Amino acid sequence: MRPTYLTINTSLVRENLRKIKDSLPEWSTSTAVIKANGYGHGSVMMGRIAVEEGYESLAVAIPEEVVPLRNAGIMVPIYLLGLTRPQSFELVADTNCIPAVCESTDFEALQKVADNHDITIELAVAVDTGMHRIGINPDNAIDFIKHIDQYPNLHIDGFFSHMSNADAADQSHAHGQAQKFHAMVDAIRAFRPDEEYRFSLANSAGLLSVKDSLFTDARPGIIQYGIMPSLDVPNRLGLKPVLSLHSEVVHVQHLPAGEGIGYGSTYVTPRPMTIATIPMGYADGYPRSLSNRGSVLIHGTRCPVVGRVCMDQFMVAIPDELTVVPGDKVVLLGAQGHESITALEIAALANTIPYEIFCGFSERVPRQYI
Ligand SMILES: *Cc1c(COP(=O)(O)O)cnc(C)c1O
């Protein structure tokens, strides 16, 4: 195996999933959101674990993401969170997933595909309660149900909406979205009292901190991996990070003062220094914006990144008191000795959020499950 790899602690994933599920009222199911290869953690493994831990369904963004899950024998309902073009309706039918729909959906084409396959396609109606990304206006929900009634092979499974500010300290926008969704749910229940639609609003932030965003189903994503959606969401369930990033020193050099390190010589040694090379780069998902900003742990000591992060390698400065040789273990994210580097720290230095750091780890980096 390559010396640069990700470790995912599956017992901590299970622990997090249990805590999340146990925190929900008994009338709420939970859909594990494992889009983007399970936020980089591996969608097949994360999907399997979620199903084993009693999660009723899974969600991904696009139908292509359903294929490896079905191939792995995962047969629970799988929701698509993004809209699907008619060119992909065959894949929706073949993988038996539940597409998100709204006014932009070509229902004639979807009906035709369902009819050809002699199946009923279940639909998750996207509702725009204030994010303005996709979805119908909740005031039009009844008309929308009547419209879908015209298609004999299409059936509404439920309605979902997405929160745009549930992770903010000021919850007024989040409550506004919840109230709109609530009013729509009441109207739909009055109109179709016999249908047991799934109503889903809460994402991770909603589930943890916006009580009125809980309906019949919640859709936790990032918190399954022990990471809070933002600094304003308290970790009230005590969830733990599950992922760490490891590598190994491949080269050590002792340089005199005045030597430029890496492309553009953006770092010049101010004095004689020891420099070590780490075999991971931005092509693996180590952000180039960490050039001259990030740090790694070697023998439990922080070593700063010097010079620009390259595509496949980068250099770090070794503190004078430390002796480092090729083969020494390096932790880029996670704990070593008494020190640790969090996803939040890396994200802040890279001027982004942990979501983007996780999704950025490329396929070139092996995932090790422990
Ligand atoms: C990504 C996503 C989620 C999960 O979001 P988290 O913030 O990771 O919990 C839920 N619903 C939709 C529609 C999404 O796109």
Side-chain angles (χ1 to χ4, degrees):
M1 189 162 94
R2 204 184 154 189
T4 299
Y5 61 94
L6 287 162
T7 294
I8 293 119
N9 185 324
T10 57
S11 3
L12 288 180
V13 175
R14 283 182 197 281
E15 209 176 282
N16 290 342
L17 287 171
R18 273 177 220 160
K19 285 176 178 167
I20 295 165
K21 203 161 176 20
D22 289 349
S23 78
L24 292 171
E26 89 285 346
W27 41 261
S28 174
T29 59
S30 44
T31 296
V33 179
I34 53 166
K35 57 189 174 184
N37 196 25
Y39 294 50
H41 294 64
S43 66
V44 167
M45 185 61 95
M46 294 305 114
R48 252 188 212 139
I49 295 175
V51 172
E52 283 170 18
E53 292 301 330
Y55 282 62
E56 285 79 1
S57 50
L58 305 172
V60 294
I62 60 175
E64 285 76 5
E65 292 183 300
V66 181
V67 176
L69 300 171
R70 293 299 187 223
N71 287 345
I74 296 173
M75 290 308 163
V76 298
I78 301 178
Y79 293 92
L80 303 183
L81 299 172
L83 295 176
T84 307
R85 299 185 310 154
Q87 291 93 320
S88 295
F89 288 165
E90 281 292 331
L91 189 54
V92 167
D94 287 341
T95 57
N96 184 28
C97 60
I98 304 171
V101 299
C102 66
E103 301 96 333
S104 326
T105 304
D106 186 342
F107 290 107
E108 299 293 334
L110 191 57
Q111 162 61 34
K112 212 171 274 170
V113 169
D115 191 24
N116 288 344
H117 283 254
D118 199 19
I119 57 172
T120 297
I121 293 183
E122 296 289 333
L123 312 176
V125 180
V127 180
D128 184 359
T129 53
M131 174 146 176
H132 304 311
R133 184 168 70 176
I134 59 171
I136 64 166
N137 183 324
D139 296 338
N140 301 337
I142 306 299
D143 285 342
F144 196 79
I145 294 173
K146 290 180 188 160
H147 180 70
I148 299 300
D149 282 346
Q150 305 167 29
Y151 301 100
N153 294 63
L154 304 182
H155 177 258
I156 295 176
D157 166 90
F159 298 78
F160 77 100
S161 186
H162 196 46
M163 309 185 80
S164 54
N165 293 274
D167 61 344
D170 175 0
Q171 297 201 334
S172 51
H173 189 275
H175 288 308
Q177 285 197 270
Q179 271 163 20
K180 273 194 185 167
F181 199 71
H182 201 114
M184 182 200 73
V185 171
D186 285 348
I188 291 172
R189 283 187 171 144
F191 178 65
R192 284 281 153 91
D194 297 334
E195 285 274 7
E196 292 217 352
Y197 290 127
R198 163 183 172 268
F199 293 108
S200 184
L201 177 61
N203 54 2
S204 290
L207 189 155
L208 284 183
S209 53
V210 188
K211 249 209 162 111
D212 53 358
S213 70
L214 280 185
F215 290 84
T216 66
D217 178 66
R219 304 187 311 276
I222 192 104
I223 56 172
Q224 302 171 93
Y225 313 113
I227 303 296
M228 294 302 106
S230 82
L231 289 171
D232 289 316
V233 179
N235 187 0
R236 67 172 174 87
L237 300 178
L239 305 174
K240 297 192 189 114
V242 304
L243 177 142
S244 50
L245 172 59
H246 305 263
S247 191
E248 213 173 274
V249 172
V250 286
H251 183 57
V252 178
Q253 10 167 11
H254 305 283
L255 295 177
E259 292 295 315
I261 309 287
Y263 289 121
S265 302
T266 58
Y267 182 88
V268 177
T269 52
R271 54 194 164 79
M273 283 180 91
T274 303
I275 302 292
T277 303
I278 317 295
M280 179 175 201
Y282 59 79
D284 300 305
Y286 196 77
R288 187 169 176 272
S289 50
L290 295 185
S291 299
N292 292 308
R293 289 167 72 81
S295 55
V296 305
L297 304 177
I298 305 177
H299 299 302
T301 301
R302 266 178 192 264
C303 305
V305 174
V306 289
R308 285 191 186 139
V309 173
C310 313
M311 192 183 285
D312 322 296
Q313 308 172 66
F314 65 91
M315 281 67 83
V316 298
I318 305 299
D320 292 339
E321 70 276 12
L322 211 62
T323 306
V324 168
V325 296
D328 282 354
K329 301 282 174 224
V330 181
V331 167
L332 296 83
L333 196 180
Q336 195 187 53
H338 298 297
E339 272 283 355
S340 64
I341 295 175
T342 65
L344 193 65
E345 175 188 335
I346 292 180
L349 287 172
N351 200 15
T352 182
I353 51 176
Y355 294 78
E356 191 180 358
I357 300 295
F358 288 152
C359 295
F361 294 130
S362 67
E363 275 187 43
R364 210 167 76 168
V365 184
R367 271 73 171 166
Q368 180 197 47
Y369 297 99
I370 58 167

